[in-house]
């Protein structure tokens, strides 16, 4: 059932934060101005004085309580020694009572001492050295701080994801000295601040067809379709025609909603498809400089670090309606076509693989080596039961079969998988064909089209073992929660007209959020409620590896997401999300015996959160209280809000400061 937020004693006041001044830099020693007033936004020095005063008071309480305890025990002993038998019996009873009081008092004193110790020992995290400003755990090496362009042109560095818990960095990743608050959506789609991302000259020479941008004095702009000869609009129109559609506005009618864009350039294709109600996930390798993923996220387009190398991507099989590769650097003919097998795993039946490459031109195929590569790729595609729909210029479109019996009637090709996990978490690439035995094997033309598919009927829910009443209650609850988030937290987070001093009037839809990450997405209810409320935000739905795996349901609803272990780093660059949301994540972590510390998890949240970004955590009251003591070490401004009186849950609302002089 839905639960309304209770407007109790915990309120939020204040005004939106001011924009970062040009040339401002991160100074961990000074508190930043933020959007929360009163005690919520006090400076670090005053907090330290209050903590010291509180510790002194607690020590005084310890001394007084200990004196009282000693005095009471001595008094009970005197009663026992100086009276007759009856008096001694009464004194013994009194003594037993004082023993019980003593035991309880000792327990209370230990608790108070622990709290006092927390006040003394809770040291604020220090800022990382400047070379860590683009720190990505599992990929990063400090030597990456050296500009790759210094290594010479044409140098390609390959990074494999390697996560270990040894040597974890416990400092706060600070923004560059000249970092500026990102431009609000939708203006931010057209240009970003140059100093917010790392770029070199290398990214102009390789990769996506749409790596087109203009670098000016302090910003990078991305020309609109109207200013691009043979631009993305013509390209999308061409793909639609090759599929057999009138234009790209008909993608949805053909069942195309989710798209995986491999090495997406700077997200131009995904930005265009977003306006056509298609949701595109950009993936690209980790890059020490000139990151496609970092720039794409800065523009407000979904992206994450991911590569076709040795591991499967952390998505379920049968999840994307289209996989797109425009001049990406994947050698599809290598390793017995195993990269094409991974594409086949991710595609739904009747889904499309769109490949644009210089290799596909008649001129290129005059070369014998190119002919050999093309022949191998064509044969691999046939072995996967793909049908080549069309070839125009450099672009080829294949369609995955919807007939399972095709795989048994082939003369050659990969075998069917025996062990077939639905959502592998960075498992080695599997050379077999997966998903053929799944109930989710439904051709995209037969699926409910967007936006109706977000609601999922009882038959569709049965596939995931979810009862329709449970799903309806979850939907209703999140609709109510999001309405209350907007009501309670406006104008700080969800302002109808967010305007910083000096800003021009923002364009619709005015809300301050664009990139949102849900750390424990469950059915994707938070994502659904945001869209239903008309908010122009996209959500990265994360299903923890230790939670029930509803990631396939999230994809079947027309959303995007990923499976992730929150004891590891999330595969993205620093400062890429406007808000991080977590419902029940602390309880989930507690039920699994705290495999990693809450501080480690919050340090990772701080890394991926933008300055002045927001964190909303909903959980049981004791866990929320404990979390508040942890986030103070990160210098987050935090306030606990009550939910309705009948609930044992609370809301922890935090803002990451933009610390600067």
């Amino acid at each position: 059932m839905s639960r309304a937020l209770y407007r109790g004693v915990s309120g939020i006041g204040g005004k939106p934060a001011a924009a970062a001044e040009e040339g401002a830099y991160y100074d961990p020693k000074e508190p930043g101005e933020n959007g929360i007033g009163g005690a919520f936004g006090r400076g670090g020095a005053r907090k330290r004085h209050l903590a010291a005063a509180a510790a002194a008071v607690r020590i005084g309480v310890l001394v007084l309580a200990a004196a009282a305890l000693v005095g009471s025990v001595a008094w009970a002993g005197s009663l026992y020694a100086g009276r007759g038998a009856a008096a001694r019996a009464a004194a013994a009873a009194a003594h037993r009572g004082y023993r019980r009081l003593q035991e309880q008092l000792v327990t209370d004193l230990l608790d108070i001492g622990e709290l006092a110790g927390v006040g003394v020992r809770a040291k604020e995290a220090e800022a990382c050295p400047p070379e860590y400003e683009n720190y990505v755990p599992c990929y990063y090496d400090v030597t990456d701080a050296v500009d790759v362009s210094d290594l010479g042109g044409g140098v390609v560095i390959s990074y494999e994801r390697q996560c270990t818990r040894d040597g974890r960095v416990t400092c706060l990743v600070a923004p560059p000295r000249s970092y500026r608050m990102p431009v609000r959506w939708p203006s931010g789609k057209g240009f970003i601040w140059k100093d917010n991302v790392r770029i070199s000259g290398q990214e102009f020479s390789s990769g996506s067809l749409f790596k087109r941008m203009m670098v000016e004095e302090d910003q990078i702009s991305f020309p609109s379709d109207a200013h691009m000869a043979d631009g993305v609009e013509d390209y999308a129109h061409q793909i639609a025609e090759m599929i057999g559609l009138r234009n790209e506005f008909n993608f949805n009618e053909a069942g195309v909603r989710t798209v995986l864009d491999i090495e997406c350039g700077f997200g131009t294709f995904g930005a265009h498809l977003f306006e056509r109600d298609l949701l595109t996930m950009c993936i690209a390798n980790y890059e020490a400089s000139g990151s496609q993923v970092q720039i794409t996220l800065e523009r407000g387009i979904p992206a994450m670090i991911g590569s076709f190398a040795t591991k499967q991507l952390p998505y379920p099989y049968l999840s994307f309606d289209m996989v797109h590769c425009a001049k990406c650097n994947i050698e599809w003919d290598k390793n017995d076509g195993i990269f094409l097998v991974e594409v086949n795993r991710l595609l739904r039946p009747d889904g499309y693989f769109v490949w644009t490459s210089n290799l596909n031109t008649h001129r290129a195929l005059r070369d014998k080596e190119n002919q050999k590569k093309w022949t191998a790729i064509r044969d691999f595609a046939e072995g996967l039961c793909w049908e080549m729909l069309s070839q125009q210029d450099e672009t080829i479109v294949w369609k995955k079969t919807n007939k399972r019996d095709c795989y048994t009637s082939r003369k050659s090709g990969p075998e069917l998988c025996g062990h077939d996990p639905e959502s592998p978490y960075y498992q080695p690439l599997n050379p077999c064909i997966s998903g053929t035995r799944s109930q989710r094997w439904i051709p995209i033309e037969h699926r409910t089209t967007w936006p109706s598919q977000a609601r999922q009927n009882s038959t569709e829910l049965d596939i995931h073992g979810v009862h329709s009443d449970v799903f309806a209650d979850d939907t209703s609850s999140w609709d109510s929660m999001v309405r209350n988030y907007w009501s309670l937290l406006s104008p700080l987070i969800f302002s109808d007209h967010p305007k910083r001093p000096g800003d021009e009037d923002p364009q619709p839809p005015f809300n301050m959020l664009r990139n949102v990450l849900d750390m424990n997405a469950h059915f994707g209810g938070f994502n659904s409620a945001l869209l239903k409320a008309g908010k122009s935000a996209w959500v990265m739905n994360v299903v923890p590896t230790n939670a029930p795996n509803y990631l396939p349901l999230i994809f079947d609803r027309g959303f995007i997401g990923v499976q992730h272990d929150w004891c590891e780093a999330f595969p993205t660059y620093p400062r890429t999300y406007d808000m991080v949301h977590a419902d029940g994540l602390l309880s989930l972590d507690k039920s699994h015996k705290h495999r990693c510390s809450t501080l480690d998890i919050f340090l990772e949240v701080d890394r991926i959160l933008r300055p002045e970004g927001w964190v909303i955590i909903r959980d049981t009251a004791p866990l929320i209280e404990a979390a508040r003591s942890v986030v103070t070490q990160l210098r987050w401004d935090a306030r606990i809000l009550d939910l309705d009186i009948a609930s044992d849950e609370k809301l922890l609302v935090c803002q990451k400061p933009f610390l600067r002089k």
Side-chain angles (χ1 to χ4, degrees), residues 170-440:
T170 57
C171 53
L172 300 176
V173 177
R177 291 174 61 91
S178 52
Y179 182 86
R180 299 169 69 174
M181 295 305 299
V183 184
R184 301 260 169 83
W185 180 268
S187 299
K189 182 177 67 173
F191 79 94
I192 62 176
W193 301 119
K194 184 177 70 174
D195 292 332
N196 285 11
V197 297
R198 289 194 68 188
I199 60 170
S200 67
Q202 186 181 12
E203 68 273 10
F204 296 103
S205 60
S206 63
S208 169
L209 180 67
F210 296 109
K211 280 192 170 183
R212 298 175 176 174
M213 62 184 187
M214 297 175 60
V215 181
E216 302 173 17
E217 183 177 353
D218 62 347
Q219 68 184 46
I220 302 171
S221 59
F222 305 88
S224 64
D225 299 341
H227 297 96
M228 293 172 65
D230 299 321
V232 64
E233 184 171 3
D234 292 335
Y235 179 67
H237 186 83
Q238 175 188 348
I239 294 173
E241 287 184 335
M242 295 173 71
I243 289 174
L245 306 176
R246 179 176 298 177
N247 55 50
E248 71 267 25
F249 289 95
N250 301 116
F251 274 133
N252 210 261
E253 298 174 13
V256 179
R257 161 63 181 172
T258 52
V259 179
L260 181 67
D261 194 3
I262 304 168
E263 295 190 12
C264 61
F266 303 134
T268 301
F269 188 59
H272 177 76
L273 294 184
F274 180 81
E275 299 174 359
R276 308 295 187 259
D277 274 340
L278 273 66
L279 192 56
T280 303
M281 170 79 83
C282 159
I283 61 168
N285 294 324
Y286 169 75
E287 300 164 281
S289 182
S291 165
Q292 302 172 62
V293 169
Q294 186 184 38
I295 292 176
T296 299
L297 283 164
E298 190 75 9
R299 297 182 65 189
I301 311 299
M304 62 174 280
I305 299 171
S307 61
F308 282 73
T310 61
K311 304 287 181 62
Q312 291 179 313
L313 295 169
Y315 312 123
Y317 54 57
L318 312 179
S319 290
F320 290 97
D321 307 313
M322 179 184 290
V323 175
H324 175 256
C325 161
K327 296 185 179 178
C328 61
N329 294 310
I330 309 297
E331 296 184 322
W332 300 109
D333 59 308
K334 301 296 184 181
N335 302 324
D336 295 324
I338 198 168
F339 301 141
L340 291 174
V341 175
E342 175 67 357
V343 171
N344 186 78
R345 182 184 75 84
L346 298 171
L347 275 177
R348 301 187 193 274
D350 280 340
Y352 304 99
F353 176 52
V354 181
W355 181 40
T356 298
S357 171
N358 293 330
L359 179 66
N360 301 332
T361 63
H362 292 294
R363 183 175 182 178
L365 292 176
R366 294 174 187 169
D367 181 79
K368 290 185 178 180
E369 186 64 29
N370 289 340
Q371 287 181 17
K372 183 179 178 181
K373 290 181 179 181
W374 162 242
T375 301
I377 293 170
R378 183 191 61 197
D379 292 345
F380 287 142
E382 290 179 358
L384 293 170
C385 289
W386 290 2
E387 175 191 2
M388 184 189 291
L389 292 183
S390 179
Q391 179 174 4
Q392 293 184 19
D393 302 323
E394 299 178 347
T395 303
I396 299 176
V397 177
W398 278 283
K399 186 175 185 178
K400 178 177 175 176
T401 185
N402 63 13
K403 297 179 175 61
R404 302 184 222 214
D405 57 4
C406 174
Y407 298 111
T408 58
S409 61
R410 296 170 303 158
K411 295 181 180 179
S412 63
E415 297 180 353
L416 300 182
C417 293
H419 178 60
D420 202 9
E422 189 166 40
S423 299
Y425 184 67
Y426 294 108
Q427 293 299 309
L429 285 170
N430 204 336
C432 58
I433 296 173
S434 61
T436 57
R437 295 190 296 269
S438 173
Q439 290 181 283
R440 296 178 59 235

Side-chain angles (χ1 to χ4, degrees), residues 64-76:
L64 291 175
L69 177 62
V70 172
S72 63
V73 172
W75 173 72

Side-chain angles (χ1 to χ4, degrees), residues 533-546:
K535 307 306 175 184
S536 184
W538 68 272
V539 178
M540 178 69 82
N541 294 283
V542 180
V543 174
T545 53
N546 57 348

Side-chain angles (χ1 to χ4, degrees), residues 31 58 207 230 524 575 601 643 660:
R58 287 167 180 155
D230 299 321
R575 304 173 299 278
I601 296 174
L643 297 171
R660 58 189 183 273

